[in-house]
Each structure stands twice: as structure tokens, then as C-alpha cells.
Amino acid sequence: RIIVLSRATGFLSHRILQNENVLVDRLRSFSQNIQVDVFSHSLQLSDDINVMQSADVVVGLHGGAFGNIVFCRKGTIVIEMNAPEEGGRQCFGYVSYNLNLNYYRYGSNRSDYDEIENPSNFYGTKVNVNVNKFMEYFERVLKENNLSF
């Protein structure tokens, strides 16, 4: 099961993944054996915990929702999209390491994104991920972890 941490337009006013729906569609078409769910907080913490515990892979644009990885099972793959200009931001990498999760950071190169509205302020920007490049990266991560769907 793949969980996409939502940062779509209308969800927040900052750091918005504008083409999240395209990314979700591509992940869903990756394999017929894959379940892809878009996660946004529920009103019940127990529901959020259950969703995160069922994840094989967690994907999303950097943000507070990554705090929910504390509920993931050991060995869960975590792929965090971050801006190339913010290479030092590794807080969820440290959390993943301490929880025995397999952390990957996507977005080290400017070409990993089709658009970053305001590269000097990733916090307050709108982002379009290069979905083709992300899917190539995603496949490499799955292969490295011997995970197939």
C-alpha cells in the first residue's frame, strides 16, 4: 500500500503540490496490484495510526504530515520531496533512521521539478514535480528494497 501525504491545492495555503493528482494517477497505474491512498488527517487519531501502519511506502512533499511516520512499521519506505535549495533539511530522515524506516529524499536537482514558483522560499511556494523523473526514482527505490507490487 502506498500512502501519498496530501499537499494539494485547497488543502493548504503554502508549499502546495499542484500536480498531486497526476502523481497519484501515475502511482495507481504503476501496477494493478497496488493500492494508492491519499492521506489527509482524519478526526480520529486511531484511524490515522491504522493508515500509517498499513503503508509499505509513504510519499509526499515536505511538511508536518510526515510526523505521522512515527506510526509506520519498521522497514516502511519513506520518500520525501524537498527543494534542491534546502538540501540540509533532513528532520524526517533522522526520524526515519531512528525508527528503522527506509528514508529517501527526492528533489536534489532543480530538474526534478517542472516548476517551483518561488525557489528561494520553498515554504511559501507552489510546486509541480516532474512526474516522469519521480516515477523513475520510485522504481529504483522499490528495486533497491526488493519490493514489487
Side-chain angles (χ1 to χ4, degrees):
R1 182 176 186 189
I2 298 174
I3 304 299
V4 177
L5 302 176
S6 185
R7 292 200 72 88
T9 305
F11 178 66
L12 297 167
S13 60
H14 61 279
R15 205 178 316 110
I16 296 168
L17 183 56
Q18 293 189 122
N19 62 340
E20 178 180 292
N21 59 335
V22 176
L23 176 63
V24 169
D25 288 346
R26 283 291 298 279
L27 287 167
R28 286 183 174 145
S29 67
F30 179 71
S31 169
Q32 292 181 354
N33 300 323
I34 198 167
Q35 179 181 347
V36 179
D37 293 311
V38 178
F39 176 84
S40 51
H41 299 286
S42 70
L43 297 177
Q44 296 292 322
L45 178 59
S46 60
D47 293 340
D48 293 350
I49 292 171
N50 289 334
V51 167
M52 298 308 286
Q53 286 179 338
S54 71
D56 297 298
V57 181
V58 176
V59 173
L61 187 62
H62 174 83
F66 270 97
N68 289 290
I69 65 174
V70 300
F71 303 120
C72 289
R73 292 173 284 120
K74 289 181 181 178
T76 300
I77 296 168
V78 176
I79 303 174
E80 178 184 19
M81 296 177 217
N82 219 325
E85 292 81 5
E86 297 188 351
R89 182 182 287 181
Q90 296 293 324
C91 52
F92 297 112
Y94 298 131
V95 172
S96 295
Y97 174 79
N98 285 298
L99 295 173
N100 295 308
L101 306 177
N102 298 320
Y103 176 83
Y104 295 85
R105 182 182 185 276
Y106 176 84
S108 298
N109 300 307
R110 184 65 180 83
S111 63
D112 293 333
Y113 298 95
D114 292 330
E115 177 187 9
I116 299 178
E117 185 181 70
N118 185 0
S120 64
N121 180 15
F122 194 64
Y123 176 81
T125 197
K126 295 176 183 168
V127 176
N128 282 299
V129 67
N130 183 316
V131 175
N132 292 330
K133 280 191 156 194
F134 180 83
M135 292 305 296
E136 291 171 9
Y137 183 81
F138 177 77
E139 289 183 51
R140 284 195 309 271
V141 168
L142 293 185
K143 188 176 285 188
E144 184 176 310
N145 286 275
N146 298 314
L147 185 62
S148 60
F149 291 99

